[in-house]
Amino acid sequence: MGFTDRRGQVAFVTGGGGGIGAALCAALVADGATVVVSDRDAAAAQAVAERIGGRACALDVTDGAAFAAAIDRVLATEGRLDYLFNNAGVGLAGAVRDLSLAHWRPVVDVNLWGVINGVQAAYPHLVRQGSGHIVNIASGAGLAPRPGMTPYATVKAAVVALSRSLRAEAAPLGVQVHAVCPGYIGTGIMDRTPMVSLDPAVLTARIERLPVRPISPEVCARRTLKAMDRGRSVIPIGASVWLDWIATRVSVRLADRLAAVRARAFADARRPG
Protein backbone atom coordinates (compact mmCIF):
# COMPACT_ATOMS: atom_id res chain seq x y z
CA MET A 1 0.00 0.00 0.00
CA GLY A 2 1.19 3.51 -0.79
CA PHE A 3 2.51 5.98 1.74
CA THR A 4 1.63 9.67 2.09
CA ASP A 5 4.12 12.38 2.97
CA ARG A 6 2.99 13.68 6.37
CA ARG A 7 6.20 15.46 7.32
CA GLY A 8 5.45 18.53 9.40
CA GLN A 9 2.05 17.17 10.44
CA VAL A 10 1.01 16.25 13.97
CA ALA A 11 -1.30 13.41 15.06
CA PHE A 12 -2.84 12.53 18.42
CA VAL A 13 -4.04 8.93 18.80
CA THR A 14 -6.07 7.64 21.74
CA GLY A 15 -5.88 3.98 22.70
CA GLY A 16 -2.48 3.95 21.04
CA GLY A 17 -0.99 1.41 23.42
CA GLY A 18 -2.06 -1.58 21.33
CA GLY A 19 -4.18 -2.98 18.51
CA ILE A 20 -5.47 -0.63 15.82
CA GLY A 21 -4.24 2.41 17.75
CA ALA A 22 -0.64 1.22 17.85
CA ALA A 23 -0.80 0.29 14.16
CA LEU A 24 -2.12 3.76 13.31
CA CYS A 25 0.70 5.36 15.28
CA ALA A 26 3.31 3.29 13.47
CA ALA A 27 1.83 4.02 10.05
CA LEU A 28 1.65 7.76 10.74
CA VAL A 29 5.27 7.87 11.91
CA ALA A 30 6.31 5.89 8.83
CA ASP A 31 4.64 8.61 6.75
CA GLY A 32 6.72 11.24 8.54
CA ALA A 33 4.18 12.60 11.03
CA THR A 34 4.90 13.58 14.60
CA VAL A 35 2.71 11.27 16.69
CA VAL A 36 1.50 11.50 20.27
CA VAL A 37 0.63 8.02 21.51
CA SER A 38 -2.00 8.31 24.25
CA ASP A 39 -3.43 5.53 26.37
CA ARG A 40 -4.79 5.14 29.89
CA ASP A 41 -2.08 2.47 30.26
CA ALA A 42 0.92 4.80 30.51
CA ALA A 43 3.44 1.96 30.20
CA ALA A 44 1.82 0.66 27.01
CA ALA A 45 1.79 4.15 25.49
CA GLN A 46 5.46 4.62 26.40
CA ALA A 47 6.43 1.26 24.92
CA VAL A 48 4.76 2.05 21.59
CA ALA A 49 6.21 5.56 21.53
CA GLU A 50 9.73 4.27 22.11
CA ARG A 51 9.33 1.57 19.45
CA ILE A 52 8.10 3.89 16.69
CA GLY A 53 9.76 7.18 17.63
CA GLY A 54 6.70 9.02 18.94
CA ARG A 55 5.79 10.78 22.18
CA ALA A 56 3.74 9.16 24.95
CA CYS A 57 0.81 10.64 26.86
CA ALA A 58 -1.09 8.99 29.70
CA LEU A 59 -4.77 9.80 29.17
CA ASP A 60 -8.14 8.53 30.37
CA VAL A 61 -10.47 9.67 27.58
CA THR A 62 -13.44 9.76 29.96
CA ASP A 63 -11.85 12.79 31.66
CA GLY A 64 -12.83 15.74 29.48
CA ALA A 65 -10.62 18.23 31.31
CA ALA A 66 -7.59 15.94 31.00
CA PHE A 67 -8.28 15.44 27.29
CA ALA A 68 -8.48 19.21 26.73
CA ALA A 69 -5.24 19.73 28.66
CA ALA A 70 -3.47 17.04 26.60
CA ILE A 71 -4.50 18.67 23.33
CA ASP A 72 -3.46 22.08 24.65
CA ARG A 73 -0.01 20.69 25.49
CA VAL A 74 0.39 19.32 21.96
CA LEU A 75 -0.53 22.69 20.47
CA ALA A 76 1.82 24.50 22.84
CA THR A 77 4.67 22.14 21.95
CA GLU A 78 4.08 21.54 18.24
CA GLY A 79 2.14 24.65 17.25
CA ARG A 80 -0.48 22.68 15.35
CA LEU A 81 -2.66 19.56 15.26
CA ASP A 82 -3.53 17.86 11.99
CA TYR A 83 -5.13 14.58 13.05
CA LEU A 84 -7.12 13.45 16.06
CA PHE A 85 -7.79 9.71 16.07
CA ASN A 86 -10.47 8.87 18.64
CA ASN A 87 -9.60 5.19 18.81
CA ALA A 88 -9.84 4.20 22.50
CA GLY A 89 -12.60 1.71 23.18
CA VAL A 90 -13.82 -1.17 25.32
CA GLY A 91 -16.03 -4.13 24.48
CA LEU A 92 -18.93 -5.93 26.12
CA ALA A 93 -20.85 -9.06 25.17
CA GLY A 94 -24.01 -10.45 26.71
CA ALA A 95 -27.77 -10.49 26.40
CA VAL A 96 -29.41 -7.28 27.61
CA ARG A 97 -31.54 -9.29 30.07
CA ASP A 98 -28.30 -10.30 31.82
CA LEU A 99 -26.81 -6.79 32.00
CA SER A 100 -27.00 -4.06 34.61
CA LEU A 101 -26.36 -0.33 34.36
CA ALA A 102 -22.91 -1.03 35.76
CA HIS A 103 -22.17 -3.05 32.60
CA TRP A 104 -23.43 -0.28 30.31
CA ARG A 105 -21.60 2.65 31.90
CA PRO A 106 -17.95 1.98 30.93
CA VAL A 107 -19.01 1.19 27.36
CA VAL A 108 -20.86 4.50 27.09
CA ASP A 109 -18.23 6.46 29.01
CA VAL A 110 -15.23 5.27 26.97
CA ASN A 111 -16.70 4.59 23.53
CA LEU A 112 -19.04 7.57 23.31
CA TRP A 113 -18.05 10.16 25.89
CA GLY A 114 -14.40 9.50 25.06
CA VAL A 115 -15.10 10.53 21.46
CA ILE A 116 -17.19 13.52 22.54
CA ASN A 117 -14.42 14.66 24.88
CA GLY A 118 -11.91 14.39 22.06
CA VAL A 119 -14.07 16.35 19.66
CA GLN A 120 -14.70 19.09 22.21
CA ALA A 121 -11.00 19.27 23.03
CA ALA A 122 -9.63 19.41 19.47
CA TYR A 123 -12.35 20.68 17.14
CA PRO A 124 -12.28 24.38 18.17
CA HIS A 125 -8.51 24.45 17.54
CA LEU A 126 -8.91 22.80 14.13
CA VAL A 127 -11.59 25.33 13.21
CA ARG A 128 -9.30 28.23 14.14
CA GLN A 129 -6.50 26.53 12.22
CA GLY A 130 -8.79 26.09 9.21
CA SER A 131 -7.63 22.53 8.57
CA GLY A 132 -7.34 19.06 10.07
CA HIS A 133 -9.02 15.70 10.42
CA ILE A 134 -11.04 14.09 13.19
CA VAL A 135 -11.05 10.33 12.68
CA ASN A 136 -13.47 8.46 14.93
CA ILE A 137 -12.95 4.71 15.15
CA ALA A 138 -16.48 3.33 15.32
CA SER A 139 -17.20 -0.26 14.26
CA GLY A 140 -19.11 -2.42 11.84
CA ALA A 141 -21.44 -2.72 14.85
CA GLY A 142 -22.34 0.92 14.24
CA LEU A 143 -23.66 0.16 10.76
CA ALA A 144 -25.76 -2.96 11.33
CA PRO A 145 -27.43 -4.77 14.25
CA ARG A 146 -25.22 -6.67 16.69
CA PRO A 147 -27.43 -8.73 19.02
CA GLY A 148 -25.41 -10.00 21.94
CA MET A 149 -23.41 -6.76 21.86
CA THR A 150 -26.25 -4.24 22.16
CA PRO A 151 -24.49 -1.64 24.38
CA TYR A 152 -21.44 -1.70 22.13
CA ALA A 153 -23.52 -1.41 18.97
CA THR A 154 -25.55 1.42 20.52
CA VAL A 155 -22.56 3.65 21.19
CA LYS A 156 -20.80 2.80 17.93
CA ALA A 157 -23.92 3.77 15.98
CA ALA A 158 -23.91 7.03 17.95
CA VAL A 159 -20.27 7.62 16.95
CA VAL A 160 -21.19 7.15 13.30
CA ALA A 161 -24.09 9.61 13.66
CA LEU A 162 -21.88 12.11 15.49
CA SER A 163 -19.22 11.85 12.79
CA ARG A 164 -21.57 12.28 9.85
CA SER A 165 -23.44 15.18 11.42
CA LEU A 166 -20.28 16.99 12.49
CA ARG A 167 -18.77 16.38 9.05
CA ALA A 168 -21.44 18.52 7.42
CA GLU A 169 -20.80 21.33 9.90
CA ALA A 170 -17.03 21.07 9.72
CA ALA A 171 -16.42 20.82 5.96
CA PRO A 172 -17.08 24.52 5.19
CA LEU A 173 -14.61 25.37 7.98
CA GLY A 174 -11.81 23.29 6.46
CA VAL A 175 -12.05 20.34 8.87
CA GLN A 176 -12.74 16.78 7.71
CA VAL A 177 -14.49 14.19 9.89
CA HIS A 178 -14.47 10.45 9.25
CA ALA A 179 -16.12 7.41 10.86
CA VAL A 180 -14.05 4.23 10.55
CA CYS A 181 -16.00 0.99 10.91
CA PRO A 182 -13.68 -2.01 11.29
CA GLY A 183 -14.96 -5.55 11.27
CA TYR A 184 -13.03 -8.57 12.51
CA ILE A 185 -9.54 -7.24 13.27
CA GLY A 186 -6.87 -9.49 14.77
CA THR A 187 -6.23 -7.47 17.92
CA GLY A 188 -7.20 -10.08 20.51
CA ILE A 189 -10.08 -7.86 21.62
CA MET A 190 -12.30 -10.89 22.23
CA ASP A 191 -9.86 -12.03 24.92
CA ARG A 192 -10.27 -8.67 26.70
CA THR A 193 -14.02 -8.23 26.19
CA PRO A 194 -16.14 -8.88 29.29
CA MET A 195 -18.64 -11.66 28.58
CA VAL A 196 -21.69 -11.65 30.82
CA SER A 197 -23.43 -15.02 31.27
CA LEU A 198 -21.74 -16.36 28.14
CA ASP A 199 -19.56 -19.40 27.59
CA PRO A 200 -16.47 -17.99 25.83
CA ALA A 201 -15.48 -21.39 24.43
CA VAL A 202 -18.87 -21.89 22.77
CA LEU A 203 -18.92 -18.35 21.39
CA THR A 204 -15.36 -18.59 20.09
CA ALA A 205 -16.14 -21.90 18.39
CA ARG A 206 -19.12 -20.32 16.63
CA ILE A 207 -17.02 -17.36 15.48
CA GLU A 208 -14.25 -19.62 14.20
CA ARG A 209 -16.76 -21.47 12.02
CA LEU A 210 -17.63 -18.25 10.18
CA PRO A 211 -16.04 -17.85 6.71
CA VAL A 212 -14.33 -14.63 7.85
CA ARG A 213 -10.65 -14.32 8.63
CA PRO A 214 -9.31 -11.47 10.76
CA ILE A 215 -7.62 -8.48 9.16
CA SER A 216 -4.34 -7.43 10.74
CA PRO A 217 -4.22 -4.12 12.63
CA GLU A 218 -1.52 -2.95 10.23
CA VAL A 219 -3.73 -3.52 7.17
CA CYS A 220 -6.63 -1.88 8.96
CA ALA A 221 -4.49 1.18 9.74
CA ARG A 222 -3.28 1.55 6.15
CA ARG A 223 -6.80 1.19 4.73
CA THR A 224 -8.00 3.78 7.23
CA LEU A 225 -5.36 6.32 6.26
CA LYS A 226 -5.88 5.73 2.54
CA ALA A 227 -9.64 6.26 2.82
CA MET A 228 -9.10 9.30 5.06
CA ASP A 229 -6.77 10.85 2.50
CA ARG A 230 -9.46 10.34 -0.13
CA GLY A 231 -11.92 12.24 2.02
CA ARG A 232 -14.26 9.34 2.71
CA SER A 233 -17.03 9.94 5.23
CA VAL A 234 -17.81 6.39 6.40
CA ILE A 235 -14.96 3.90 6.08
CA PRO A 236 -15.99 0.23 6.38
CA ILE A 237 -13.03 -2.13 6.90
CA GLY A 238 -13.57 -5.74 5.85
CA ALA A 239 -15.84 -7.61 3.45
CA SER A 240 -18.31 -8.64 6.17
CA VAL A 241 -18.81 -5.01 7.22
CA TRP A 242 -19.39 -3.95 3.63
CA LEU A 243 -21.96 -6.74 3.30
CA ASP A 244 -23.74 -5.66 6.48
CA TRP A 245 -23.74 -2.02 5.46
CA ILE A 246 -25.09 -2.73 1.99
CA ALA A 247 -27.74 -5.09 3.37
CA THR A 248 -28.90 -2.49 5.88
CA ARG A 249 -29.15 0.19 3.20
CA VAL A 250 -30.88 -2.05 0.67
CA SER A 251 -33.30 -4.00 2.85
CA VAL A 252 -34.12 -3.72 6.55
CA ARG A 253 -35.69 -7.17 6.35
CA LEU A 254 -32.44 -8.69 5.05
CA ALA A 255 -30.43 -6.93 7.75
CA ASP A 256 -32.84 -8.25 10.39
CA ARG A 257 -32.37 -11.79 9.07
CA LEU A 258 -28.60 -11.48 9.34
CA ALA A 259 -29.06 -10.13 12.87
CA ALA A 260 -31.21 -13.14 13.76
CA VAL A 261 -28.35 -15.46 12.76
CA ARG A 262 -26.03 -13.58 15.12
CA ALA A 263 -28.63 -13.65 17.87
CA ARG A 264 -28.84 -17.46 17.65
CA ALA A 265 -25.05 -17.73 18.00
CA PHE A 266 -25.12 -15.72 21.23
CA ALA A 267 -28.18 -17.60 22.47
CA ASP A 268 -26.32 -20.88 22.03
CA ALA A 269 -23.44 -19.52 24.11
CA ARG A 270 -25.63 -18.12 26.90
CA ARG A 271 -25.35 -19.65 30.33
CA PRO A 272 -28.82 -19.87 31.88
CA GLY A 273 -29.24 -18.43 35.28
Side-chain angles (χ1 to χ4, degrees):
M1 295 185 181
F3 291 74
T4 299
D5 187 354
R6 303 187 202 277
R7 285 175 293 183
Q9 298 183 328
V10 179
F12 189 97
V13 182
T14 70
I20 295 172
L24 282 168
C25 291
L28 288 160
V29 168
D31 286 355
T34 296
V35 176
V36 178
V37 183
S38 77
D39 202 288
R40 66 181 177 185
D41 183 339
Q46 186 64 41
V48 171
E50 290 178 357
R51 185 173 73 246
I52 67 173
R55 292 198 293 110
C57 171
L59 175 65
D60 179 349
V61 298
T62 68
D63 186 336
F67 210 141
I71 295 296
D72 287 346
R73 285 195 298 272
V74 172
L75 289 160
T77 303
E78 305 296 338
R80 63 183 298 112
L81 177 66
D82 298 282
Y83 309 101
L84 168 64
F85 288 84
N86 283 314
N87 167 75
V90 297
L92 176 68
V96 172
R97 59 178 160 164
D98 296 321
L99 304 181
S100 68
L101 288 177
H103 291 114
W104 279 78
R105 289 196 193 282
V107 180
V108 175
D109 287 347
V110 175
N111 295 1
L112 181 55
W113 272 109
V115 173
I116 294 170
N117 288 337
V119 168
Q120 290 298 125
Y123 182 55
H125 297 292
L126 300 182
V127 169
R128 285 192 290 271
Q129 187 174 274
S131 65
H133 296 257
I134 293 176
V135 187
N136 297 323
I137 309 300
S139 168
L143 299 177
R146 289 292 189 274
M149 301 176 66
T150 297
Y152 184 80
T154 298
V155 294
K156 292 301 186 179
V159 170
V160 173
L162 182 161
S163 303
R164 298 185 70 186
S165 297
L166 180 59
R167 180 182 176 87
E169 291 185 31
L173 305 175
V175 180
Q176 294 194 52
V177 183
H178 318 267
V180 182
C181 299
Y184 185 14
I185 311 299
T187 62
I189 189 172
M190 289 299 291
D191 297 332
R192 301 188 302 274
T193 294
M195 295 190 182
V196 181
S197 298
L198 292 173
D199 186 327
V202 173
L203 189 58
T204 299
R206 291 295 298 264
I207 292 172
E208 289 177 347
R209 287 204 297 270
L210 295 174
V212 179
R213 300 276 70 84
I215 296 170
S216 73
E218 291 74 22
V219 169
C220 178
R222 275 292 159 200
R223 289 184 184 178
T224 295
L225 296 181
K226 183 177 181 180
M228 178 196 74
D229 290 338
R230 290 179 174 177
R232 298 285 173 81
S233 171
V234 178
I235 305 172
I237 305 290
S240 63
V241 177
W242 276 102
L243 175 62
D244 275 338
W245 194 34
I246 291 169
T248 300
R249 297 167 76 188
V250 170
S251 168
V252 172
R253 180 175 294 181
L254 175 59
D256 286 346
R257 287 179 177 175
L258 292 173
V261 173
R262 286 192 172 95
R264 286 196 292 273
F266 276 90
D268 289 346
R270 182 173 181 267
R271 290 169 170 161

